[in-house]
Amino acid sequence: MTDVQTRTVEELTFPPEFLWGAATAAFQIEGATAEDGRTPSIWDTFARIPGAVVNGDTGDVACDHYRRMPQDVALMRDLNLNAYRFSVAWPRVRPDVGPANQAGLDFYRRLVDELLGAGIRPWVTLYHWDLPQTLEDAGGWTNRDTSYRFAEYALSVHDAIGDRAPTWTTLNEPWCTAFLGYTGGQHAPGRQEGVAGLVAAHHLMLGHGLVVEELRRRTATADLGITLNLTVADPHDPTDELDRDAARRIDALHNRVFLDPILRGTYPADLLQDTADLMWQGRPWADVVRHGDLATISAPIDVLGVNYYKGDAVSGRQHEDVTGFAGDHAERPTSTPFVGCEDVTFPSRGLPVTDMGWEVQPEGLTRLLKRIHDDYDAPVMYVTENGAAYADTVAADGTVDDPDRVAYVEDHLRAVHAAIEQGVDVRGFFQWSLLDNYEWAYGYGKRFGIVHVDYDTQVRTPKSSALFYAEVARTGRLARGGPTP
């Protein structure tokens, strides 16, 4: 029985100002992909590649949030949320890289108005993977110019809602954008170009830094930051030198490739050594790092968002029972997103798994938060995404009982509380996701929401997990005797 499991018998209280939120992404819920001036994103294009998305699902309708937004905000209020982390659709705001689209900006103005009227703190995410297709046609994130176009777009959003939105996330999970999108091909734009992921990662971070610098010049009061999806990379066999080295390399390519430039202003020396022979357009990939880039990338931030779903056992040897990567399904062959680590495997540890096949490892979240606190001069942290997909069943009376998700949420909240007890400054938790939605390369087949969505009728039904989370948000307390035995 883990430390987290034994704590389920205790009553825990969170700090009074703790944020209790939920998160979504524009492409996953909005729909209306061709309305009011919005132009195609890379995900609109990718979804139409045969075999790229399960069942050929698209985001054309999704949860119809673009039309149902006021009702969805009312639902958040009913669930006692005091914060909502949403993303802005870049192609809705700056279609075809032209002037700002007022119709698109007006939607986010109305959203912020609704949130503030409901007593909910708006938390803006500027980029959650929906790059305008026009920019991808010019090279996407492997093109340095995209970093500057990102800053232009960010200023358009800030002009519209900057006076009323207190917290700004530049990028959500740049690891996924860079390495699933440009190295492994699991995500849009679906490129499988190895070292291109490292190039894209650098330009993503450059865009982040440019936006932080620009927004800092405009306002001294906003909290600015970034959200990273991080893992706990443990050697499968801690006594095996190959496994230890494999874990080190994955830690570098998953965690430190972002943490070190953003929080220390430098790339990890071992990452640069490991990838020194990787060439981009005839030159070492690291030549894309220009003088002054790292100073921009490491511009001070106020908040660090941490997204956590699972850790990884890592091995330098071959194993039969291994885990895969999001979107890695048989209809369209893909590559490892870990460039230069084609020999690395991720053995199963026999832990319980979610409907994604991801192992459930709550104690890893405690260790991750503590590690960032101890190893980096980290700003205030928030868990900006945590949640689980399970195969939910709608009962005859229309209710959705999801005890596995309730247990998952409680155990991870207890893991966050354990980190706070160890001195880590964590000030909020955002459930992923508010609604069942378009789960990227898995289409509508995987449900992460605490609110069930009937995609035929668009009826929303809070699940047991939503009711559980609403009570925790109302009281700031986890009662004695949770769902974990």
Side-chain angles (χ1 to χ4, degrees):
M1 194 176 279
T2 68
D3 289 342
V4 170
Q5 288 172 319
T6 60
R7 280 194 293 273
T8 59
V9 299
E10 301 176 17
E11 181 174 270
L12 302 180
T13 301
F14 285 81
E17 301 303 316
F18 199 79
L19 288 187
W20 298 101
T24 65
F27 190 78
Q28 293 181 271
I29 67 168
E30 283 183 2
T33 55
E35 296 188 23
D36 292 337
R38 184 190 180 280
T39 52
S41 74
I42 54 175
W43 271 95
D44 294 289
T45 302
F46 184 72
R48 287 166 169 80
I49 298 174
V53 176
V54 172
N55 297 323
D57 289 342
T58 73
D60 293 355
V61 177
C63 302
D64 199 31
H65 174 74
Y66 191 71
R67 295 183 183 85
R68 300 169 184 267
M69 177 269 293
Q71 299 96 304
D72 287 339
V73 174
L75 177 60
M76 298 177 216
R77 181 195 60 218
D78 292 344
L79 294 177
N80 303 319
L81 303 185
N82 60 17
Y84 174 52
R85 179 173 169 259
F86 63 93
S87 80
V88 177
W90 188 343
R92 200 179 291 286
V93 168
R94 292 294 292 258
D96 294 327
V97 204
N101 175 28
Q102 291 306 314
L105 288 170
D106 285 346
F107 170 74
Y108 297 105
R109 290 188 182 100
R110 294 193 301 272
L111 171 58
V112 171
D113 287 344
E114 290 284 342
L115 291 169
L116 293 174
I120 299 171
R121 176 181 177 137
W123 183 305
V124 181
T125 296
L126 287 165
Y127 186 71
H128 199 135
W129 309 354
D130 49 0
L131 185 72
Q133 183 60 43
T134 299
L135 285 175
E136 177 56 33
D137 292 341
W141 288 108
T142 61
N143 181 352
R144 184 181 177 92
D145 184 65
T146 301
S147 305
Y148 296 91
R149 303 291 76 78
F150 179 55
E152 291 176 351
Y153 148 71
L155 292 180
S156 296
V157 179
H158 191 267
D159 285 342
I161 60 175
D163 59 331
R164 291 170 298 143
T167 310
W168 294 70
T169 293
T170 55
L171 307 171
N172 178 77
E173 300 187 351
W175 183 87
C176 294
T177 297
F179 296 105
L180 294 180
Y182 291 87
T183 294
Q186 291 88 356
H187 282 190
R191 288 162 61 175
Q192 299 183 50
E193 299 174 19
V195 70
L198 285 164
V199 175
H202 180 72
H203 292 152
L204 282 155
M205 286 186 283
L206 177 61
H208 153 78
L210 291 169
V211 170
V212 169
E213 289 180 340
E214 289 295 331
L215 295 190
R216 190 76 72 196
R217 292 186 188 104
R218 290 186 168 216
T219 176
T221 58
D223 289 331
L224 309 177
I226 190 170
T227 281
L228 304 177
N229 61 308
L230 302 170
T231 189
V232 177
D234 292 322
H236 176 65
D237 179 355
T239 68
D240 188 324
E241 184 177 351
L242 284 179
D243 286 5
R244 292 197 304 271
D245 188 64
R248 175 196 62 79
R249 288 185 284 152
I250 295 305
D251 182 58
L253 278 168
H254 201 302
N255 297 332
R256 291 183 284 119
V257 65
F258 297 106
L259 287 169
D260 281 33
I262 292 166
L263 298 178
R264 293 177 174 167
T266 184
Y267 276 103
D270 61 327
L271 172 68
L272 294 176
Q273 182 175 350
D274 290 343
T275 60
D277 61 339
L278 299 178
M279 309 297 285
W280 175 252
Q281 297 179 344
R283 303 179 65 179
W285 81 267
D287 284 0
V288 304
V289 183
R290 298 184 185 177
H291 178 72
D293 282 3
L294 286 166
T296 295
I297 290 169
S298 61
I301 58 176
D302 307 297
V303 297
L304 176 64
V306 176
N307 290 359
Y308 176 85
Y309 293 92
K310 65 182 182 68
D312 292 297
V314 184
S315 179
R317 303 182 186 278
Q318 295 302 303
H319 294 264
E320 291 185 3
D321 188 7
V322 297
T323 60
F325 300 100
D328 192 7
H329 50 80
E331 289 87 346
R332 181 176 176 271
T334 56
S335 306
T336 176
F338 295 105
V339 58
C341 292
E342 290 76 12
D343 60 316
V344 172
T345 60
F346 299 85
S348 169
R349 291 167 288 190
L351 296 173
V353 297
T354 69
D355 199 37
M356 297 291 287
W358 297 348
E359 293 185 322
V360 179
Q361 187 190 359
E363 57 84 23
L365 178 54
T366 306
R367 286 198 283 140
L368 175 62
L369 294 169
K370 188 69 163 61
R371 182 255 181 112
I372 298 169
H373 174 269
D374 290 348
D375 291 359
Y376 295 88
D377 185 16
V380 172
M381 283 186 278
Y382 293 80
V383 176
T384 39
E385 287 183 28
N386 177 254
Y390 288 105
D392 301 318
T393 300
V394 180
D397 63 358
T399 61
V400 182
D401 187 25
D402 57 340
D404 289 338
R405 187 176 289 105
V406 172
Y408 183 100
V409 174
E410 171 158 2
D411 287 348
H412 284 82
L413 284 174
R414 291 183 180 276
V416 172
H417 194 278
I420 294 173
E421 287 182 324
Q422 294 175 35
V424 183
D425 192 358
V426 185
R427 299 189 187 179
F429 182 94
F430 290 78
Q431 179 65 42
W432 185 269
S433 175
L434 175 69
L435 304 171
D436 289 335
N437 55 41
Y438 183 85
E439 186 46 44
W440 306 113
Y442 284 98
Y444 297 102
K446 304 294 182 183
R447 292 180 177 268
F448 273 88
I450 56 173
V451 174
H452 181 274
V453 177
D454 183 317
Y455 296 119
D456 293 326
T457 65
Q458 294 296 337
V459 169
R460 276 81 157 132
T461 303
K463 306 174 188 178
S464 297
S465 56
L467 305 179
F468 165 79
Y469 190 61
E471 182 63 11
V472 176
R474 186 185 69 83
T475 63
R477 193 170 65 246
L478 283 169
R480 294 178 182 272
T484 303

